[in-house]
Amino acid sequence: MADEDFAPPPPDLDSARGPTMAVSPRRTQTHGSAPQVARAVELTLKIRRYNPEVRTDPWWDEFTIQADPTERLLDALHQVKWYHDGTLALRRSCAHGICGSDAMLINGRNALACKVLVKDVAPKVTVEPIRGLPALKDLIVDMEPFFAGYRRVLPFLINEDEPPNRERRQSPAERERYDDTTKCILCAACTTSCPIYWGDDEYVGPAAIVNAHRFIFDSRDQGGDERLKVLAERTGVFKCRTVFNCTEACPRGIKVTKAIQEVKRAIMFDRL
Amino acid sequence: MTTFHAYDAVVVGAGGAGLRAALEASKQARIAVISKLYPTRSHTGAAQGGMCAALGNVEEDYPEWHAFDTVKGGDYLVDQPAAIVMAEEAVDAVIELEHWGFPFNRTPEGMIDQRRFGGHTRNHGEAPVRRACYAADRTGHMILQTLYQQCIRQNVRFFNEFYVLDLVFAEDGRVAGVVAYELSDGEMHVFRAKAVLFATGGFGKIFKVTSNAHTLTGDGLAVCYRRGIPLEDMEFFQFHPTGIYKMGILLSEAVRGEGGIMVNSEGERFMERYAPSIKDLAPRDMVSRAIYQEIKEGRGIDGQDYVYLDVRHLDPEVVETKLPDVTEFARIYLGVEPLREPVPIQPTAHYGMGGIPTDLEGRVVVGPEERPIPGLYAAGECACVSVHGANRLGTNSLLDIVVFGRRGGLHMGRFAAEEDLPDLPRHSEADIIDMLEGLKGSTGGETVAAIRAELQEQMMDLAGVVRTEDTLRTLKEALGVLRQRYADAVVQDKGKVFNTDLMEAVELGFLLEISDTLAAAALARDESRGGHYREDHPLRDDDHWLKHSLAYREPDGSIRLEHKDVKLGPYIPMERKY
């Protein structure tokens, strides 16, 4: 998608953002010594910080490090945390894009820090927490509202029939019908890229709809009507304005907007 | 301030084993699941290729063949009753997941499709068999999602981002609960419970190049070990042959299951020499050693320490649809297009066969006589039942977590329904508060990251694919030095809110404990078996070593080793050839 299609962040959702926010001076002191890198490039990380134990409003810090260009941005953030400022807080686990812990706003776009390479952002990168969920410390946000939205769509197979002794049959074509939305890792990159979600915390958001889609279009599921009822509500799928931010943000390549459209159509034409 | 909770039972860890145990136990008891992560971040989600069960959907297959392969693959250190139970219950476990909505790939007839995997053979080694049930190359992701979905449906109570740091016993020796640290606000929690099941996963972060998540620091093992529980078979660690060069990110064995091959600098498919019958689908320990040997003899690519994984001869449609994630990993992290170029790979630290000793019901058992600790359970990678022996076969970990997660949860649920809630000793959280304050108050000059990096490097060099008495003695000395440095490690973050700096320091303490047990057990075992290869003792020695090792922590921090016999069964140990 072209840059101009990307919806800009709303100007006034967060009064602490903007040009008046002070940037702390570049830090040079180190804490221990970072490993030497053979073919390093210089990378400056401008990181939006927040720590309620230190001050009430967020601030910016900048760190300049030497990093291997083929490393992940997550590795660079670790270098900052491990050798420059141990107070930097972020979530991470698998480090290769499958656990969904490290969704961040990277140069203005949502992505997983472990799927962005240093060479693609050097010499300077801006890192902020994902938007629309309350920041708790630095890059860590409160995920509870996100998972609450997920739980609202009944994200589990509903089938009240007595199961057969063996597997239920499902043709490869039926299996293919919902394949794309099974890839979701619940990282919240889509939901927190959505301008509607930023402005309306009642909206279940794209990730919840993706997970509803995964069951609504599964031939074994009987809970479609129940889910569609939830999604037809005021807080459901018709909040979507087809901005496509979610599709662009998804690190798993899920066609999120398409999935949302399919759910809308299922409601409008009352069929699955 | 400490908050107190009371449950019939608690599960520690929310990966596949923990969630499956929670689903089973919650049928009979009031339970809580405590995890240092959000459940869907657990490393079960990173498993790729499949889960074996002798469904026989696409070709003839029997659980007995699966049990044999598991025993042989584990180089006869497997407790055979455990392997037989797992292979027999595998079919029901797969069907249960299907009924819960698991999106298996399907055959044209709509049945669960199956594919080949390393070490899984027809009729006791004749040829590779199609036994692995799968969802593209995200089978673990789908298991984790499916189990978590069922937990939501059953209203399982979760405590997310709580680090369990201690295990508490009542005066009569029963388990009484756990002590946990809440990450978001730094407060202590004591969970009083009749039973505790550890399902905290692996500890691959003791090594430099690993497929494991940053969070896989062996917490459950170390917590138990510090309270006197032995760790079993810690010398057996699996190196997966096909990790992305330098980064260690896993490229599934399913790549070879679908027909991919490995080649050396001469373009030779070298596995034909090492395992003539099943070639690239030999068990992982053998393939990793073969790669080591090729590199040692100068046939690494460009003389370097890697070889190629090649899929260019496969149908691009198969690569794109059945292996989409690993294909993307190669593109993103190596800048290599697998459809046109071979992919640089090297062995990556992947899976600990050892762990907290348990019986078939998930009960933690101590000593050669296997005395159960009332109320204490373990399942999954942190446990050792021992179904993987000296080398786990691919797909058997996903099977292990659902089969033994269920069995542990079932027994624990019954136990908790019948027992009274034990009294907690007073101030059961005091030791942990002292430990955390000690770490926060340290004024030494060492950094956690530097010590950890050194540990991982030493472990990789001295206790990796190949070991000798010399390397292991050197390692023991190095570990002693690292432990002294750890005493001077400084935690920069003195706060209470999301103090991940402090938790990384705690985790490093766990990694050091576990590394000690691995080094001690590996030094004692002067034979080669499965994932433990001693260049100075290259042969298996069944006369002396057909037994498990048990490492105990003595009060002064030193290690005492015991041994217990392998439980044999229908399969007579023989030379392992493929």
Side-chain angles (χ1 to χ4, degrees):
Chain A
M1 181 187 298
D3 280 4
E4 52 269 31
D5 293 337
F6 185 80
D12 55 358
L13 280 181
D14 181 348
S15 58
R17 290 179 45 74
T20 55
M21 210 161 93
V23 176
S24 73
R26 207 172 267 230
R27 302 193 175 193
T28 49
Q29 80 274 22
T30 61
H31 179 67
S33 57
Q36 296 299 306
V37 180
R39 41 193 185 121
V41 294
E42 191 170 277
L43 176 68
T44 297
L45 298 105
K46 182 181 175 188
I47 304 173
R48 184 178 148 99
R49 306 293 303 271
Y50 170 64
N51 184 346
E53 291 182 288
V54 174
R55 49 196 272 195
T56 54
D57 55 333
W59 73 95
W60 293 98
D61 267 347
E62 283 193 8
F63 302 88
T64 299
I65 61 167
Q66 301 295 311
D68 183 329
T70 62
E71 278 183 342
R72 296 154 276 206
L73 177 60
L74 176 63
D75 298 316
L77 287 164
H78 270 151
Q79 200 187 131
V80 169
K81 177 175 178 60
W82 290 345
Y83 297 101
H84 297 264
D85 184 350
T87 69
L88 178 66
L90 64 144
R91 289 193 180 103
R92 85 286 185 266
S93 190
C94 80
H96 64 283
I98 204 73
C99 79
S101 298
D102 63 346
M104 300 170 190
L105 191 63
I106 297 163
N107 284 341
R109 308 233 169 166
N110 278 1
L112 302 180
C114 61
K115 285 188 93 170
V116 173
L117 298 189
V118 166
K119 66 182 163 72
D120 296 325
V121 293
K124 182 161 182 176
V125 63
T126 303
V127 185
E128 304 166 71
I130 47 177
R131 296 197 180 121
L133 293 168
L136 300 176
K137 182 179 178 184
D138 297 338
L139 301 168
I140 294 179
V141 301
D142 182 3
M143 294 296 288
E144 287 304 328
F146 172 79
F147 279 103
Y150 167 72
R151 286 191 296 265
R152 270 166 60 193
V153 303
L154 312 173
F156 40 80
L157 189 86
I158 297 174
N159 185 318
E160 302 302 339
D161 297 344
E162 184 68 21
N165 289 330
R166 293 284 293 206
E167 65 264 50
R168 295 192 181 94
R169 297 295 178 105
Q170 184 169 57
S171 72
E174 288 168 331
R175 166 67 182 74
E176 180 61 25
R177 183 69 190 86
Y178 66 101
D179 180 72
D180 199 36
T181 44
T182 66
K183 295 173 188 164
C184 176
I185 56 175
L186 298 168
C187 69
C190 61
T191 295
T192 60
S193 74
C194 172
I196 312 299
Y197 189 78
W198 295 335
D200 181 353
D201 55 15
E202 299 261 282
Y203 176 39
V204 294
I209 301 170
V210 161
N211 282 279
H213 179 283
R214 178 253 171 273
F215 289 105
I216 291 168
F217 293 94
D218 185 334
S219 59
R220 300 168 295 176
D221 186 79
Q222 300 170 341
D225 289 344
E226 242 175 304
R227 290 191 192 87
L228 290 177
K229 212 156 82 186
V230 173
L231 291 171
E233 287 169 10
R234 186 176 57 77
T235 56
V237 75
F238 293 105
K239 287 274 182 193
C240 169
R241 289 287 170 273
T242 327
V243 181
F244 278 96
N245 276 12
C246 51
T247 299
E248 172 158 321
C250 179
R252 301 283 293 146
I254 299 170
K255 296 176 185 70
V256 181
T257 314
K258 178 168 175 252
I260 296 174
Q261 291 302 100
E262 288 178 354
V263 173
K264 283 182 186 172
R265 250 178 262 134
I267 294 172
M268 287 189 293
F269 303 115
D270 192 26
R271 68 143 284 102
L272 303 180
Chain B
M1 220 188 62
T2 303
T3 307
F4 290 86
H5 311 258
Y7 286 88
D8 290 332
V10 295
V11 172
V12 184
L19 297 180
R20 186 64 192 81
L23 287 169
E24 201 65 28
S26 61
K27 290 176 186 168
Q28 306 181 70
R30 198 169 149 269
I31 67 145
V33 179
I34 309 173
S35 171
K36 70 174 179 179
L37 304 171
Y38 273 83
T40 57
R41 313 307 181 210
S42 305
H43 209 56
T44 295
Q48 296 166 356
M51 170 173 163
C52 272
L55 299 180
N57 277 3
V58 289
E59 62 178 303
E60 186 183 10
D61 198 9
Y62 304 99
E64 193 273 315
W65 292 357
H66 185 183
F68 170 80
D69 289 337
T70 300
V71 171
K72 182 181 175 187
D75 221 349
Y76 295 93
L77 194 75
V78 172
D79 283 336
Q80 295 188 18
I84 291 166
V85 160
M86 186 172 79
E88 284 177 350
E89 295 188 3
V91 175
D92 285 347
V94 165
I95 297 302
E96 178 181 67
L97 284 169
E98 197 283 329
H99 290 168
W100 283 340
F102 186 106
F104 285 107
N105 277 45
R106 299 287 175 154
T107 67
E109 301 76 34
M111 293 157 77
I112 293 171
D113 196 14
Q114 300 187 272
R115 66 179 167 205
R116 298 182 184 94
F117 236 83
H120 291 278
T121 69
R122 56 170 285 111
N123 197 17
H124 312 95
E126 277 178 10
V129 72
R130 291 174 63 180
R131 185 179 291 150
C133 312
Y134 64 102
D137 53 358
R138 55 178 184 279
T139 312
H141 164 74
M142 296 318 328
I143 286 184
L144 187 65
Q145 295 286 324
T146 301
L147 292 174
Y148 184 57
Q149 291 156 6
Q150 291 301 310
C151 286
I152 290 175
R153 182 172 204 182
Q154 287 196 25
N155 272 317
V156 171
R157 178 79 167 92
F158 285 98
F159 290 86
N160 299 327
E161 298 186 326
F162 279 58
Y163 287 67
V164 167
L165 301 181
D166 205 358
L167 171 62
V168 182
F169 290 97
E171 274 179 13
D172 61 2
R174 272 201 294 164
V175 164
V178 294
V179 177
Y181 172 91
E182 185 175 5
L183 185 64
S184 69
D185 61 7
E187 296 295 346
M188 300 304 302
H189 293 256
V190 176
F191 290 81
R192 188 178 166 202
K194 304 168 191 174
V196 174
L197 185 143
F198 280 92
T200 55
F203 47 93
K205 275 289 158 182
I206 58 176
F207 291 106
K208 181 181 175 187
V209 176
T210 176
S211 63
N212 283 200
H214 286 286
T215 43
L216 287 176
T217 49
D219 304 11
L221 290 88
V223 163
C224 289
Y225 176 65
R226 285 176 177 174
R227 288 294 172 198
I229 309 296
L231 298 182
E232 180 174 347
D233 289 345
M234 294 300 284
E235 64 270 43
F236 297 102
F237 201 93
Q238 176 169 87
F239 284 76
H240 192 294
T242 57
I244 284 184
Y245 184 48
K246 286 186 176 170
M247 299 179 106
I249 296 170
L250 184 65
L251 298 178
S252 174
E253 200 166 275
V255 174
R256 285 169 284 141
E258 296 290 354
I261 59 169
M262 291 178 303
V263 294
N264 61 21
S265 63
E266 294 169 10
E268 179 203 15
R269 186 182 181 185
F270 56 87
M271 281 312 298
E272 288 179 334
R273 275 188 280 118
Y274 294 89
S277 68
I278 59 177
K279 305 181 179 74
D280 296 82
L281 287 174
R284 290 171 181 174
D285 60 325
M286 298 178 79
V287 180
S288 285
R289 270 196 300 283
I291 293 172
Y292 171 86
Q293 196 63 26
E294 290 301 298
I295 290 167
K296 190 177 164 193
E297 291 172 13
R299 292 188 293 276
I301 307 300
D302 296 333
Q304 304 221 28
D305 55 343
Y306 65 94
V307 295
Y308 280 141
L309 178 62
D310 196 347
V311 298
R312 288 174 296 177
H313 54 291
L314 301 186
D315 178 357
E317 172 79 8
V318 168
V319 176
E320 296 280 8
T321 60
K322 293 192 171 175
L323 305 165
D325 284 358
V326 297
T327 309
E328 193 199 26
F329 295 153
R331 287 173 184 147
I332 291 183
Y333 297 112
L334 286 165
V336 164
E337 173 46 65
L339 296 175
R340 291 195 304 273
E341 303 163 89
V343 182
I345 51 108
Q346 70 179 165
T348 180
H350 186 56
Y351 187 89
M353 271 69 74
I356 305 163
T358 74
D359 66 10
L360 292 176
E361 317 309 324
R363 291 186 297 180
V364 174
V365 291
V366 175
E369 73 283 9
E370 304 213 315
R371 175 173 54 85
I373 304 281
L376 188 58
Y377 296 81
E381 189 176 346
C382 76
C384 180
V385 48
S386 143
V387 81
H388 307 304
N391 171 64
R392 175 173 71 72
L393 289 190
T395 79
N396 273 354
S397 59
L398 291 178
L399 185 56
D400 175 8
I401 60 178
V402 290
V403 166
F404 291 103
R406 188 190 70 80
R407 294 178 77 94
L410 179 66
H411 198 283
M412 181 174 76
R414 275 192 208 137
F415 177 88
E418 289 166 7
E419 294 290 316
D420 299 329
L421 205 57
D423 288 328
L424 283 170
R426 287 165 61 83
H427 307 301
S428 45
E429 73 279 30
D431 288 353
I432 296 304
I433 291 174
D434 286 351
M435 177 182 81
L436 298 178
E437 290 307 315
L439 285 167
K440 270 186 175 177
S442 168
T443 52
E446 294 285 353
T447 64
V448 167
I451 300 169
R452 185 177 50 213
E454 176 75 15
L455 169 71
Q456 292 164 338
E457 194 133 330
Q458 298 281 7
M459 288 294 290
M460 198 79 192
D461 287 349
L462 303 172
V465 174
V466 173
R467 301 139 179 201
T468 68
E469 180 174 343
D470 283 350
T471 67
L472 294 166
R473 288 203 186 280
T474 308
L475 176 62
K476 281 193 89 168
E477 276 174 43
L479 290 172
V481 173
L482 288 167
R483 199 169 268 286
Q484 285 169 8
R485 290 176 61 191
Y486 180 62
D488 287 329
V490 172
V491 173
Q492 269 192 310
D493 193 337
K494 310 295 185 194
K496 301 197 77 164
V497 176
F498 285 99
N499 192 340
T500 52
D501 200 27
L502 177 62
M503 285 302 106
E504 287 193 31
V506 171
E507 289 170 334
L508 174 58
F510 295 155
L511 292 174
L512 285 166
E513 300 275 24
I514 286 165
S515 301
D516 279 348
T517 65
L518 190 154
L523 184 59
R525 188 177 286 270
D526 52 2
E527 66 154 355
S528 290
R529 183 187 297 272
H532 171 68
Y533 186 75
R534 286 277 301 262
E535 213 162 37
D536 47 347
H537 296 278
L539 298 179
R540 200 175 79 195
D541 178 2
D542 285 344
D543 290 342
H544 296 100
W545 283 110
L546 201 56
K547 54 192 181 183
H548 302 288
S549 57
L550 296 171
Y552 295 79
R553 188 178 192 278
E554 296 287 287
D556 66 354
S558 66
I559 292 168
R560 176 171 58 90
L561 290 175
E562 271 185 353
H563 295 94
K564 67 175 178 185
D565 290 338
V566 172
K567 294 184 191 68
L568 297 175
Y571 307 114
I572 309 297
M574 53 183 180
E575 195 191 351
R576 191 157 153 260
K577 278 187 170 168
Y578 288 92

